[in-house]
Amino acid sequence: MFDTTITLVGNVLTTPEWRRIPTTGTLVANFKVASTARRYDKESGQWIDGNNLRIRVVAWRRLAEGVASSITVGDPVMVQGRLYTRDWKDEGGNHRVSYEMEASAIGHDLSRGRARFFRTRTGT
Amino acid sequence: MFDTTITLVGNVLTTPEWRRIPTTGTLVANFKVASTARRYDKESGQWIDGNNLRIRVVAWRRLAEGVASSITVGDPVMVQGRLYTRDWKDEGGNHRVSYEMEASAIGHDLSRGRARFFRTRTGT
Amino acid sequence: MFDTTITLVGNVLTTPEWRRIPTTGTLVANFKVASTARRYDKESGQWIDGNNLRIRVVAWRRLAEGVASSITVGDPVMVQGRLYTRDWKDEGGNHRVSYEMEASAIGHDLSRGRARFFRTRTGT
Amino acid sequence: MFDTTITLVGNVLTTPEWRRIPTTGTLVANFKVASTARRYDKESGQWIDGNNLRIRVVAWRRLAEGVASSITVGDPVMVQGRLYTRDWKDEGGNHRVSYEMEASAIGHDLSRGRARFFRTRTGT
Protein backbone atom coordinates (compact mmCIF):
# COMPACT_ATOMS: atom_id res chain seq x y z
CA MET A 1 0.00 0.00 0.00
CA PHE A 2 0.89 3.60 -0.21
CA ASP A 3 1.76 6.73 1.62
CA THR A 4 -1.14 9.14 1.76
CA THR A 5 0.12 12.47 0.49
CA ILE A 6 -1.72 15.72 1.14
CA THR A 7 -1.08 19.36 0.34
CA LEU A 8 -2.52 21.89 2.70
CA VAL A 9 -2.82 25.62 2.02
CA GLY A 10 -3.47 27.74 5.10
CA ASN A 11 -1.94 29.69 7.96
CA VAL A 12 0.65 28.84 10.59
CA LEU A 13 -1.28 28.57 13.89
CA THR A 14 1.57 28.16 16.37
CA THR A 15 5.15 29.40 16.66
CA PRO A 16 7.41 26.74 15.18
CA GLU A 17 9.38 24.80 17.80
CA TRP A 18 12.55 23.00 16.99
CA ARG A 19 15.04 20.75 18.74
CA ARG A 20 17.93 18.42 17.98
CA ILE A 21 17.69 14.66 18.51
CA PRO A 22 20.43 14.16 21.16
CA THR A 23 21.92 10.94 19.78
CA THR A 24 22.18 12.04 16.15
CA GLY A 25 22.11 15.83 16.19
CA THR A 26 19.27 15.77 13.62
CA LEU A 27 17.12 18.91 13.59
CA VAL A 28 13.34 18.52 13.81
CA ALA A 29 10.76 21.34 13.75
CA ASN A 30 7.01 21.31 14.30
CA PHE A 31 4.07 23.70 14.16
CA LYS A 32 0.32 23.65 13.56
CA VAL A 33 -1.38 24.76 10.37
CA ALA A 34 -5.03 25.66 9.84
CA SER A 35 -6.89 25.73 6.55
CA THR A 36 -10.43 26.97 6.10
CA ALA A 37 -12.29 26.03 2.94
CA ARG A 38 -14.45 28.65 1.24
CA ARG A 39 -17.55 27.56 -0.63
CA TYR A 40 -20.08 29.34 -2.80
CA ASP A 41 -23.50 29.45 -1.15
CA LYS A 42 -26.24 29.38 -3.79
CA GLU A 43 -28.90 30.65 -1.38
CA SER A 44 -27.09 33.85 -0.46
CA GLY A 45 -24.99 34.17 -3.62
CA GLN A 46 -21.91 34.62 -1.42
CA TRP A 47 -18.72 32.79 -0.53
CA ILE A 48 -18.87 31.49 3.04
CA ASP A 49 -16.59 29.50 5.37
CA GLY A 50 -16.75 25.77 4.86
CA ASN A 51 -14.92 23.05 6.75
CA ASN A 52 -11.85 23.69 8.81
CA LEU A 53 -8.71 21.57 8.98
CA ARG A 54 -6.05 21.90 11.66
CA ILE A 55 -3.04 19.66 11.69
CA ARG A 56 0.39 19.28 13.28
CA VAL A 57 3.29 19.43 10.83
CA VAL A 58 6.66 17.82 11.49
CA ALA A 59 9.74 18.72 9.43
CA TRP A 60 13.19 17.14 9.53
CA ARG A 61 16.77 18.12 8.67
CA ARG A 62 17.15 20.73 5.88
CA LEU A 63 13.43 21.42 5.78
CA ALA A 64 13.50 21.98 9.56
CA GLU A 65 16.31 24.52 9.04
CA GLY A 66 14.25 26.31 6.42
CA VAL A 67 11.28 26.42 8.80
CA ALA A 68 13.34 27.61 11.78
CA SER A 69 14.87 30.45 9.73
CA SER A 70 11.83 31.51 7.68
CA ILE A 71 8.42 30.72 9.23
CA THR A 72 6.56 32.66 11.91
CA VAL A 73 3.09 32.35 13.39
CA GLY A 74 0.38 33.72 11.08
CA ASP A 75 2.33 33.16 7.85
CA PRO A 76 0.29 31.96 4.88
CA VAL A 77 1.90 28.69 3.81
CA MET A 78 1.51 25.59 1.71
CA VAL A 79 2.67 22.23 3.09
CA GLN A 80 3.05 18.93 1.28
CA GLY A 81 3.65 15.70 3.17
CA ARG A 82 2.48 12.31 4.33
CA LEU A 83 -0.52 12.07 6.63
CA TYR A 84 -0.59 9.47 9.40
CA THR A 85 -2.26 8.53 12.66
CA ARG A 86 -0.31 8.65 15.91
CA ASP A 87 -1.56 6.56 18.84
CA TRP A 88 -0.71 7.68 22.38
CA LYS A 89 -1.92 7.61 26.00
CA ASP A 90 -3.04 10.69 27.92
CA GLU A 91 -2.26 11.25 31.64
CA GLY A 92 -5.31 9.17 32.59
CA GLY A 93 -3.96 6.25 30.58
CA ASN A 94 -6.69 6.61 27.96
CA HIS A 95 -5.94 5.69 24.39
CA ARG A 96 -5.86 8.79 22.21
CA VAL A 97 -5.37 9.36 18.51
CA SER A 98 -3.75 12.33 16.78
CA TYR A 99 -3.19 13.10 13.12
CA GLU A 100 0.09 14.51 11.93
CA MET A 101 1.84 15.11 8.69
CA GLU A 102 5.55 14.72 7.98
CA ALA A 103 6.30 17.49 5.54
CA SER A 104 8.37 16.96 2.40
CA ALA A 105 8.05 20.57 1.20
CA ILE A 106 6.87 23.82 2.81
CA GLY A 107 6.63 27.26 1.20
CA HIS A 108 5.10 30.70 1.69
CA ASP A 109 1.96 31.14 -0.40
CA LEU A 110 2.80 33.77 -3.04
CA SER A 111 -0.89 34.49 -3.66
CA ARG A 112 -0.77 36.31 -0.34
CA GLY A 113 2.54 38.17 -0.44
CA ARG A 114 6.00 38.27 -1.97
CA ALA A 115 9.23 36.57 -0.91
CA ARG A 116 12.96 36.93 -1.18
CA PHE A 117 14.50 33.48 -1.38
CA PHE A 118 18.10 32.56 -0.53
CA ARG A 119 19.06 29.19 -1.85
CA THR A 120 21.17 26.90 0.30
CA ARG A 121 24.57 26.22 -1.24
CA THR A 122 25.16 22.49 -1.20
CA GLY A 123 27.16 19.83 -2.89
CA THR A 124 24.07 17.97 -4.03
CA MET B 1 -8.42 29.15 0.73
CA PHE B 2 -8.98 25.66 -0.44
CA ASP B 3 -10.45 22.32 0.28
CA THR B 4 -7.79 19.83 1.23
CA THR B 5 -8.26 16.81 -1.00
CA ILE B 6 -6.75 13.42 -0.20
CA THR B 7 -6.84 10.02 -1.80
CA LEU B 8 -6.44 7.06 0.49
CA VAL B 9 -5.73 3.49 -0.62
CA GLY B 10 -6.38 0.86 2.04
CA ASN B 11 -8.91 -1.50 3.59
CA VAL B 12 -12.40 -1.00 4.98
CA LEU B 13 -12.06 -1.38 8.77
CA THR B 14 -15.72 -1.27 9.85
CA THR B 15 -19.02 -2.42 8.37
CA PRO B 16 -20.54 0.55 6.54
CA GLU B 17 -23.49 2.08 8.37
CA TRP B 18 -26.11 4.13 6.60
CA ARG B 19 -29.18 6.14 7.48
CA ARG B 20 -31.56 8.67 5.97
CA ILE B 21 -31.70 12.26 7.17
CA PRO B 22 -35.31 12.42 8.48
CA THR B 23 -36.20 15.87 7.13
CA THR B 24 -34.87 15.41 3.61
CA GLY B 25 -34.67 11.67 3.03
CA THR B 26 -31.02 12.07 1.97
CA LEU B 27 -28.95 8.89 2.31
CA VAL B 28 -25.63 9.10 4.19
CA ALA B 29 -23.17 6.24 4.76
CA ASN B 30 -20.01 6.03 6.85
CA PHE B 31 -17.21 3.58 7.58
CA LYS B 32 -13.57 3.59 8.64
CA VAL B 33 -10.62 2.97 6.34
CA ALA B 34 -7.07 2.03 7.27
CA SER B 35 -4.00 2.45 5.13
CA THR B 36 -0.53 1.16 6.01
CA ALA B 37 2.44 2.56 4.16
CA ARG B 38 5.23 0.19 3.13
CA ARG B 39 8.78 1.46 2.96
CA TYR B 40 12.05 0.01 1.79
CA ASP B 41 14.46 -0.53 4.66
CA LYS B 42 18.03 -0.09 3.51
CA GLU B 43 19.52 -1.87 6.54
CA SER B 44 17.61 -5.11 6.06
CA GLY B 45 17.04 -4.81 2.31
CA GLN B 46 13.34 -5.49 2.87
CA TRP B 47 10.00 -3.72 2.64
CA ILE B 48 8.58 -3.06 6.10
CA ASP B 49 5.45 -1.43 7.55
CA GLY B 50 5.66 2.33 7.80
CA ASN B 51 3.09 4.76 9.16
CA ASN B 52 -0.54 3.89 9.60
CA LEU B 53 -3.54 6.08 8.76
CA ARG B 54 -7.06 5.37 9.96
CA ILE B 55 -9.88 7.71 9.07
CA ARG B 56 -13.67 7.93 9.10
CA VAL B 57 -15.24 8.32 5.66
CA VAL B 58 -18.65 9.92 5.10
CA ALA B 59 -20.52 9.51 1.79
CA TRP B 60 -23.74 11.18 0.68
CA ARG B 61 -26.54 10.47 -1.79
CA ARG B 62 -25.62 8.39 -4.86
CA LEU B 63 -22.19 7.58 -3.48
CA ALA B 64 -23.85 6.41 -0.24
CA GLU B 65 -26.06 4.10 -2.32
CA GLY B 66 -23.02 2.71 -4.10
CA VAL B 67 -21.33 2.10 -0.73
CA ALA B 68 -24.42 0.48 0.83
CA SER B 69 -24.82 -1.92 -2.12
CA SER B 70 -21.15 -2.70 -2.84
CA ILE B 71 -18.77 -2.33 0.13
CA THR B 72 -18.15 -4.77 2.98
CA VAL B 73 -15.66 -4.83 5.83
CA GLY B 74 -12.17 -5.91 4.70
CA ASP B 75 -12.58 -4.74 1.10
CA PRO B 76 -9.52 -3.12 -0.49
CA VAL B 77 -10.65 0.35 -1.55
CA MET B 78 -9.51 3.75 -2.74
CA VAL B 79 -11.28 6.85 -1.43
CA GLN B 80 -11.00 10.43 -2.64
CA GLY B 81 -12.46 13.30 -0.67
CA ARG B 82 -12.04 16.40 1.44
CA LEU B 83 -10.31 16.14 4.80
CA TYR B 84 -11.51 18.22 7.73
CA THR B 85 -11.41 18.54 11.49
CA ARG B 86 -14.56 17.93 13.55
CA ASP B 87 -14.75 19.46 17.03
CA TRP B 88 -16.97 17.78 19.62
CA LYS B 89 -17.40 17.20 23.37
CA ASP B 90 -17.09 13.79 25.05
CA GLU B 91 -19.35 12.67 27.94
CA GLY B 92 -17.07 14.43 30.42
CA GLY B 93 -17.54 17.71 28.56
CA ASN B 94 -13.95 17.68 27.29
CA HIS B 95 -13.16 19.22 23.95
CA ARG B 96 -12.19 16.52 21.47
CA VAL B 97 -11.05 16.61 17.88
CA SER B 98 -11.68 14.05 15.15
CA TYR B 99 -10.61 13.91 11.53
CA GLU B 100 -13.02 12.86 8.83
CA MET B 101 -13.20 12.89 5.10
CA GLU B 102 -16.26 13.53 2.97
CA ALA B 103 -15.79 11.25 0.00
CA SER B 104 -16.35 12.39 -3.58
CA ALA B 105 -15.41 9.01 -5.12
CA ILE B 106 -14.89 5.50 -3.73
CA GLY B 107 -13.88 2.38 -5.65
CA HIS B 108 -12.56 -1.15 -5.14
CA ASP B 109 -8.81 -1.36 -5.75
CA LEU B 110 -8.35 -3.47 -8.88
CA SER B 111 -4.73 -4.20 -7.99
CA ARG B 112 -6.18 -6.55 -5.40
CA GLY B 113 -9.05 -8.24 -7.21
CA ARG B 114 -11.53 -7.96 -10.06
CA ALA B 115 -14.95 -6.34 -10.21
CA ARG B 116 -18.22 -6.52 -12.09
CA PHE B 117 -19.64 -3.03 -12.34
CA PHE B 118 -23.29 -2.12 -12.96
CA ARG B 119 -23.72 1.46 -13.97
CA THR B 120 -26.63 3.43 -12.55
CA ARG B 121 -29.07 4.51 -15.27
CA THR B 122 -29.77 8.21 -14.79
CA GLY B 123 -30.96 11.22 -16.69
CA THR B 124 -27.81 13.15 -15.93
CA MET C 1 12.63 15.57 -5.28
CA PHE C 2 9.38 13.74 -5.43
CA ASP C 3 7.01 11.76 -7.50
CA THR C 4 4.02 13.81 -8.56
CA THR C 5 0.93 11.86 -7.58
CA ILE C 6 -2.48 12.60 -9.04
CA THR C 7 -5.92 11.10 -8.69
CA LEU C 8 -8.22 11.40 -11.65
CA VAL C 9 -11.98 10.74 -11.61
CA GLY C 10 -13.54 10.30 -15.04
CA ASN C 11 -14.44 7.87 -17.79
CA VAL C 12 -12.47 5.27 -19.72
CA LEU C 13 -12.05 6.66 -23.25
CA THR C 14 -10.46 3.72 -25.03
CA THR C 15 -10.68 -0.06 -24.80
CA PRO C 16 -7.87 -1.23 -22.51
CA GLU C 17 -5.05 -2.92 -24.38
CA TRP C 18 -2.67 -5.31 -22.72
CA ARG C 19 0.42 -7.31 -23.59
CA ARG C 20 3.21 -9.28 -21.93
CA ILE C 21 6.79 -8.07 -21.91
CA PRO C 22 8.49 -10.90 -23.88
CA THR C 23 11.63 -11.20 -21.76
CA THR C 24 9.94 -11.24 -18.34
CA GLY C 25 6.32 -12.22 -18.98
CA THR C 26 5.19 -9.15 -17.04
CA LEU C 27 1.65 -8.00 -17.89
CA VAL C 28 1.12 -4.33 -18.79
CA ALA C 29 -2.20 -2.67 -19.65
CA ASN C 30 -3.00 0.81 -20.93
CA PHE C 31 -6.03 2.93 -21.74
CA LYS C 32 -7.04 6.59 -21.88
CA VAL C 33 -9.14 8.38 -19.29
CA ALA C 34 -11.02 11.65 -19.62
CA SER C 35 -12.20 13.87 -16.81
CA THR C 36 -14.36 16.95 -17.26
CA ALA C 37 -14.57 19.44 -14.42
CA ARG C 38 -17.93 21.00 -13.59
CA ARG C 39 -18.04 24.51 -12.22
CA TYR C 40 -20.81 26.72 -10.85
CA ASP C 41 -21.47 29.69 -13.12
CA LYS C 42 -22.60 32.69 -11.09
CA GLU C 43 -24.02 34.51 -14.12
CA SER C 44 -26.41 31.76 -15.16
CA GLY C 45 -26.81 30.12 -11.74
CA GLN C 46 -26.00 26.75 -13.33
CA TRP C 47 -23.29 24.13 -13.33
CA ILE C 48 -21.38 24.12 -16.62
CA ASP C 49 -18.47 22.18 -18.14
CA GLY C 50 -15.06 23.46 -17.12
CA ASN C 51 -11.64 22.21 -18.17
CA ASN C 52 -11.08 18.82 -19.68
CA LEU C 53 -8.24 16.42 -18.90
CA ARG C 54 -7.36 13.40 -21.03
CA ILE C 55 -4.47 11.18 -20.13
CA ARG C 56 -2.94 7.80 -20.94
CA VAL C 57 -2.84 5.38 -18.02
CA VAL C 58 -0.34 2.52 -17.75
CA ALA C 59 -0.83 -0.33 -15.27
CA TRP C 60 1.54 -3.18 -14.46
CA ARG C 61 1.33 -6.73 -13.07
CA ARG C 62 -1.59 -7.39 -10.71
CA LEU C 63 -3.20 -4.06 -11.43
CA ALA C 64 -2.96 -4.84 -15.16
CA GLU C 65 -4.76 -8.14 -14.49
CA GLY C 66 -7.49 -6.31 -12.61
CA VAL C 67 -7.86 -3.87 -15.51
CA ALA C 68 -7.90 -6.60 -18.16
CA SER C 69 -10.61 -8.54 -16.32
CA SER C 70 -12.77 -5.65 -15.08
CA ILE C 71 -12.58 -2.43 -17.13
CA THR C 72 -14.35 -1.62 -20.39
CA VAL C 73 -14.62 1.56 -22.45
CA GLY C 74 -17.06 4.07 -20.97
CA ASP C 75 -16.69 2.86 -17.37
CA PRO C 76 -16.64 5.58 -14.71
CA VAL C 77 -13.35 5.14 -12.87
CA MET C 78 -10.91 6.69 -10.45
CA VAL C 79 -7.19 6.32 -11.06
CA GLN C 80 -4.31 7.16 -8.74
CA GLY C 81 -0.75 7.23 -9.96
CA ARG C 82 2.42 9.10 -10.82
CA LEU C 83 2.35 11.67 -13.60
CA TYR C 84 5.35 12.06 -15.91
CA THR C 85 6.47 13.41 -19.26
CA ARG C 86 7.49 11.04 -22.04
CA ASP C 87 9.74 12.39 -24.81
CA TRP C 88 9.58 10.75 -28.23
CA LYS C 89 10.07 11.38 -31.96
CA ASP C 90 7.27 11.28 -34.52
CA GLU C 91 7.67 9.84 -38.04
CA GLY C 92 9.08 13.15 -39.24
CA GLY C 93 11.78 13.01 -36.57
CA ASN C 94 10.23 15.89 -34.62
CA HIS C 95 10.58 15.96 -30.89
CA ARG C 96 7.21 15.34 -29.24
CA VAL C 97 6.07 15.27 -25.66
CA SER C 98 3.32 13.15 -24.11
CA TYR C 99 1.99 12.93 -20.58
CA GLU C 100 1.24 9.62 -18.97
CA MET C 101 0.48 8.27 -15.57
CA GLU C 102 1.64 4.98 -14.11
CA ALA C 103 -1.29 3.86 -11.99
CA SER C 104 -0.88 2.51 -8.48
CA ALA C 105 -4.63 1.97 -7.91
CA ILE C 106 -7.68 1.95 -10.20
CA GLY C 107 -11.33 1.43 -9.20
CA HIS C 108 -14.86 1.86 -10.50
CA ASP C 109 -16.49 5.01 -9.14
CA LEU C 110 -19.29 3.88 -6.82
CA SER C 111 -21.01 7.25 -7.03
CA ARG C 112 -22.06 6.12 -10.51
CA GLY C 113 -23.00 2.49 -10.04
CA ARG C 114 -22.56 -0.59 -7.90
CA ALA C 115 -19.92 -3.32 -8.02
CA ARG C 116 -19.38 -6.94 -7.10
CA PHE C 117 -15.76 -7.38 -6.09
CA PHE C 118 -13.83 -10.66 -6.07
CA ARG C 119 -10.65 -10.43 -4.09
CA THR C 120 -7.52 -12.10 -5.42
CA ARG C 121 -6.31 -14.91 -3.16
CA THR C 122 -2.60 -14.43 -2.58
CA GLY C 123 0.12 -15.28 -0.17
CA THR C 124 0.92 -11.64 0.52
CA MET D 1 -16.99 15.25 -11.97
CA PHE D 2 -14.05 16.93 -10.43
CA ASP D 3 -11.10 19.13 -10.92
CA THR D 4 -7.87 17.17 -10.94
CA THR D 5 -5.57 18.80 -8.43
CA ILE D 6 -1.83 18.20 -8.40
CA THR D 7 1.08 19.49 -6.37
CA LEU D 8 4.42 19.61 -8.07
CA VAL D 9 7.78 20.10 -6.32
CA GLY D 10 10.62 21.06 -8.62
CA ASN D 11 12.53 23.88 -10.29
CA VAL D 12 11.47 26.85 -12.38
CA LEU D 13 12.66 26.07 -15.95
CA THR D 14 11.85 29.35 -17.70
CA THR D 15 11.81 33.03 -16.76
CA PRO D 16 8.26 33.90 -15.72
CA GLU D 17 6.43 36.01 -18.30
CA TRP D 18 3.51 38.16 -17.41
CA ARG D 19 0.99 40.40 -19.17
CA ARG D 20 -2.30 42.16 -18.56
CA ILE D 21 -5.51 41.11 -20.29
CA PRO D 22 -6.31 44.30 -22.27
CA THR D 23 -10.07 44.37 -21.66
CA THR D 24 -9.98 43.75 -17.91
CA GLY D 25 -6.49 44.68 -16.76
CA THR D 26 -6.17 41.28 -15.09
CA LEU D 27 -2.58 40.14 -14.53
CA VAL D 28 -1.57 36.68 -15.73
CA ALA D 29 1.86 35.05 -15.36
CA ASN D 30 3.25 31.81 -16.74
CA PHE D 31 6.43 29.74 -16.53
CA LYS D 32 7.54 26.13 -16.85
CA VAL D 33 8.40 23.84 -13.95
CA ALA D 34 10.36 20.59 -14.01
CA SER D 35 10.32 17.89 -11.38
CA THR D 36 12.58 14.85 -11.38
CA ALA D 37 11.63 11.91 -9.19
CA ARG D 38 14.38 10.11 -7.31
CA ARG D 39 14.03 6.40 -6.62
CA TYR D 40 16.00 3.89 -4.61
CA ASP D 41 17.68 1.33 -6.85
CA LYS D 42 17.95 -2.01 -5.06
CA GLU D 43 20.60 -3.34 -7.44
CA SER D 44 23.09 -0.55 -6.88
CA GLY D 45 21.94 0.46 -3.38
CA GLN D 46 21.77 4.06 -4.57
CA TRP D 47 19.19 6.76 -5.31
CA ILE D 48 18.89 7.40 -9.04
CA ASP D 49 16.83 9.68 -11.30
CA GLY D 50 13.37 8.39 -12.07
CA ASN D 51 10.70 9.92 -14.26
CA ASN D 52 10.70 13.55 -15.25
CA LEU D 53 7.71 15.89 -15.36
CA ARG D 54 7.72 19.26 -17.11
CA ILE D 55 4.64 21.41 -17.15
CA ARG D 56 3.47 24.93 -17.95
CA VAL D 57 2.05 26.83 -14.98
CA VAL D 58 -0.43 29.68 -15.33
CA ALA D 59 -1.16 32.06 -12.44
CA TRP D 60 -3.76 34.83 -12.25
CA ARG D 61 -4.29 38.06 -10.32
CA ARG D 62 -2.68 38.21 -6.86
CA LEU D 63 -0.80 34.98 -7.40
CA ALA D 64 0.55 36.40 -10.68
CA GLU D 65 1.77 39.46 -8.75
CA GLY D 66 3.50 37.21 -6.22
CA VAL D 67 5.17 35.30 -9.06
CA ALA D 68 6.22 38.44 -10.94
CA SER D 69 7.82 39.94 -7.80
CA SER D 70 9.35 36.79 -6.29
CA ILE D 71 10.17 33.99 -8.74
CA THR D 72 13.19 33.66 -11.02
CA VAL D 73 14.43 30.89 -13.27
CA GLY D 74 16.12 28.07 -11.34
CA ASP D 75 14.18 28.65 -8.10
CA PRO D 76 13.12 25.53 -6.21
CA VAL D 77 9.34 25.79 -5.91
CA MET D 78 6.17 23.94 -5.06
CA VAL D 79 3.05 24.55 -7.13
CA GLN D 80 -0.52 23.45 -6.43
CA GLY D 81 -3.22 23.73 -9.06
CA ARG D 82 -5.63 22.13 -11.47
CA LEU D 83 -4.29 20.07 -14.35
CA TYR D 84 -6.01 20.19 -17.74
CA THR D 85 -5.55 19.45 -21.42
CA ARG D 86 -5.35 22.28 -23.93
CA ASP D 87 -6.14 21.54 -27.60
CA TRP D 88 -4.59 23.73 -30.29
CA LYS D 89 -3.40 23.76 -33.91
CA ASP D 90 0.25 24.17 -34.93
CA GLU D 91 1.36 26.19 -38.00
CA GLY D 92 0.73 23.17 -40.22
CA GLY D 93 -2.86 22.97 -39.01
CA ASN D 94 -2.19 19.76 -37.10
CA HIS D 95 -4.12 19.08 -33.95
CA ARG D 96 -1.83 19.28 -30.92
CA VAL D 97 -2.36 18.70 -27.25
CA SER D 98 -0.63 20.43 -24.34
CA TYR D 99 -0.94 19.98 -20.61
CA GLU D 100 -1.07 22.96 -18.29
CA MET D 101 -1.88 23.69 -14.72
CA GLU D 102 -3.68 26.72 -13.36
CA ALA D 103 -1.98 27.37 -10.05
CA SER D 104 -3.90 28.11 -6.87
CA ALA D 105 -0.78 28.39 -4.69
CA ILE D 106 2.96 28.68 -5.40
CA GLY D 107 5.80 28.87 -2.88
CA HIS D 108 9.58 28.55 -2.59
CA ASP D 109 10.59 25.15 -1.23
CA LEU D 110 12.08 25.76 2.22
CA SER D 111 13.88 22.41 2.17
CA ARG D 112 16.26 24.08 -0.28
CA GLY D 113 16.77 27.53 1.17
CA ARG D 114 15.34 30.23 3.40
CA ALA D 115 12.91 33.04 2.63
CA ARG D 116 11.88 36.48 3.84
CA PHE D 117 8.16 36.86 3.28
CA PHE D 118 6.28 40.17 3.02
CA ARG D 119 2.56 39.72 3.39
CA THR D 120 0.26 41.72 1.14
CA ARG D 121 -1.90 44.15 3.12
CA THR D 122 -5.49 43.71 1.99
CA GLY D 123 -9.02 44.27 3.15
CA THR D 124 -9.93 40.62 2.80
Side-chain angles (χ1 to χ4, degrees), chain B residues 30-71:
Chain B
N30 75 77
F31 57 93
K32 281 199 173 176
V33 178
S35 176
T36 303
R38 299 281 293 169
R39 62 182 189 77
Y40 187 75
D41 183 54
K42 268 199 278 189
E43 313 279 303
S44 66
Q46 296 194 313
W47 289 87
I48 58 172
D49 276 3
N51 287 315
N52 178 279
L53 175 61
R54 301 186 307 278
I55 208 155
R56 189 169 173 266
V57 175
V58 181
W60 291 86
R61 283 170 284 266
R62 291 209 292 172
L63 183 51
E65 287 173 36
V67 167
S69 60
S70 313
I71 299 268

Side-chain angles (χ1 to χ4, degrees), chain A residues 19-74:
Chain A
R19 64 193 174 86
R20 288 198 183 273
I21 306 293
T23 47
T24 58
T26 310
L27 191 68
V28 55
N30 74 79
F31 57 92
K32 281 199 174 176
V33 177
S35 175
T36 303
R38 298 283 293 169
R39 61 183 188 78
Y40 186 75
D41 182 54
K42 269 198 277 188
E43 314 278 302
S44 66
Q46 296 193 316
W47 289 87
I48 59 174
D49 276 2
N51 287 315
N52 177 280
L53 175 61
R54 303 186 306 279
I55 208 155
R56 189 166 173 267
V57 175
V58 181
W60 290 86
R61 282 171 282 265
R62 291 208 291 171
L63 183 51
E65 288 172 35
V67 167
S69 61
S70 314
I71 299 268
T72 59
V73 67

Side-chain angles (χ1 to χ4, degrees), chain C residues 6 37 52 54 85 87 99, chain D residues 3 6 37 52 54 85 87 99:
Chain C
I6 66 168
N52 177 279
R54 301 185 307 278
T85 302
D87 296 276
Y99 290 76
Chain D
D3 282 319
I6 66 169
N52 177 279
R54 303 185 307 278
T85 303
D87 296 275
Y99 290 77

